[in-house]
Amino acid sequence: MQKTPKTIDLALQGGASHGAFTWGVLDRLLEDGSLRFAGISGSSAGALNAAVLATGLARGGSQGARDALREFWHDVSRSGACFGAVPAAGFGASPLWPASSWTPAAFFGAWARSFSPYEFNPLDLNPLRDALRRHVDEAALRGTGPKLFVTATVVRTGQPRVFSGAALSIDALLASACLPHLFRAVTIDGEAYWDGAYSGNPALWPLIYETAEADLLLVKTQPMERAATPQTALAIADRASEIGFNAVLVAEMRAIAFVKRLLTEQRVERDRYKDLRLHLITDEAGLGALDAASKLDTSRSFLESLCRMGRAAAGRWLDEHRAAVGLRSSYDIEAGFLAPHTAPRSRKP
């Protein structure tokens, strides 16, 4: 007899095409069927995955969600420029840009940083808009399925705005995934928005305050550490962006760790604070081996390889930690977000 699924909240990081890793994670969790999603918070590609997931669940349950995610990411691979990538044609190897050092994605990333999207994209073309219209049902986002929270960054103030309920729309998703060096700011009700990862990647506090669940599963696509020090202008800029996209998450995790410590020491009242049970699915080694320029790679083979990586990571988590849901955290916040980053690994005499 199949057991009743355990209920959990999801927090989905962004990462452009690396969001296909999250596709794989969600596909494996849906296939397993032992978890039910109460609330989902997402930024950038995490928000896109959340919206497509919600649409698929509304139309056809777990299998409908799996089908919807697969069809969306395959459509992204056909559209080619959803995350600012350019077709490989015309950007092959040459004496100036050999294939070993300049992929089409890397070339475009360097070129795009030299011009604003208001200069090189005067018609405000955005293939992601068309893809979302094909794969997202706005009514499903506001329906009776998982409660969705989509974060975008207010350009004027730098603060996050979390779209939920009636405010959820295709435009809100585009705002959450708007990388400003690739696309024009998305304007909603007179306010301009950029990518939500700048102010919450993803935002955890909506899940803390707006749902009753204590179990929170973070699907992480942005590596915390990279072994090599970047030395090219493009690599330096990309690593700086990666650090920035992780900074708000690190701050939220440290605040959660602080509250959990106070609860453990009985220094605050338990009925006033949610004692979160934290869980994490990622592949630091696999994702950390990919350079930042690969986030613009929307080739089907690359997206499917990320999906397989995500499925494998989710499978390992299910095998090792599924039983912890509803009982205890399976992830140590202090070990993951405090201890490893307080001192260098080694120091030469």
Side-chain angles (χ1 to χ4, degrees), residues 97-151:
W97 294 300
S100 60
S101 60
W102 276 95
T103 64
F107 176 87
F108 182 74
W111 177 79
R113 283 174 170 82
S114 300
F115 303 91
S116 89
Y118 298 86
E119 296 170 320
F120 70 73
N121 187 10
L123 299 179
D124 194 22
L125 302 177
N126 189 341
L128 183 57
R129 181 183 291 111
D130 296 330
L132 288 174
R133 286 172 177 165
R134 289 190 291 268
H135 297 278
V136 172
D137 179 355
E138 290 184 335
L141 307 185
R142 309 161 187 156
T144 59
K147 190 170 185 179
L148 301 188
F149 305 94
V150 169
T151 302

Side-chain angles (χ1 to χ4, degrees), residues 4 31 168 230 298:
T4 302
E31 179 185 60
L168 288 166
T298 56

Side-chain angles (χ1 to χ4, degrees), residues 187-273:
T187 302
I188 300 174
D189 297 330
E191 192 76 76
Y193 294 94
W194 282 344
D195 198 291
Y198 290 111
S199 55
N201 193 22
L204 304 182
W205 53 268
L207 299 173
I208 295 172
Y209 294 109
E210 301 294 334
T211 78
E213 306 309 317
D215 286 276
L216 192 161
L217 171 58
L218 170 64
V219 182
K220 196 169 179 304
T221 61
Q222 299 275 359
M224 291 289 292
E225 298 185 19
R226 288 191 180 273
T229 300
Q231 297 183 0
T232 68
L234 180 60
I236 291 168
D238 285 331
R239 181 54 179 157
S241 293
E242 201 168 55
I243 291 170
F245 285 160
N246 273 324
V248 179
L249 176 65
V250 170
E252 281 200 271
M253 282 292 199
R254 290 184 174 185
I256 291 170
F258 178 67
V259 171
K260 287 181 69 67
R261 185 179 298 175
L262 293 178
L263 288 168
T264 299
E265 296 172 356
Q266 299 183 347
R267 295 168 62 186
V268 295
E269 299 175 15
R270 284 191 168 270
D271 58 355
R272 295 186 58 190
Y273 296 92

Side-chain angles (χ1 to χ4, degrees), residues 64-124:
R66 295 181 68 195
D67 294 341
L69 286 162
R70 182 183 64 253
E71 291 164 7
F72 170 72
W73 283 100
H74 284 177
D75 197 356
V76 167
S77 73
R78 291 189 295 269
S79 299
C82 286
F83 301 116
V86 291
F91 290 100
S94 75
L96 293 177
W97 294 300
S100 60
S101 60
W102 276 95
T103 64
F107 176 87
F108 182 74
W111 177 79
R113 283 174 170 82
S114 300
F115 303 91
S116 89
Y118 298 86
E119 296 170 320
F120 70 73
N121 187 10
L123 299 179
D124 194 22

Side-chain angles (χ1 to χ4, degrees), residues 6-12 26 29 35-42 53 145-149 202-219 274 276-281 317 325-326:
K6 297 180 179 180
T7 305
I8 198 168
D9 285 338
L10 289 175
L12 309 179
L26 296 174
L29 296 179
L35 300 176
R36 185 179 70 85
F37 311 133
I40 308 175
S41 179
L53 171 67
K147 190 170 185 179
L148 301 188
F149 305 94
L204 304 182
W205 53 268
L207 299 173
I208 295 172
Y209 294 109
E210 301 294 334
T211 78
E213 306 309 317
D215 286 276
L216 192 161
L217 171 58
L218 170 64
V219 182
K274 183 186 287 188
L276 286 176
R277 295 185 287 268
L278 269 294
H279 312 277
L280 175 73
I281 296 178
W317 181 84
V325 176

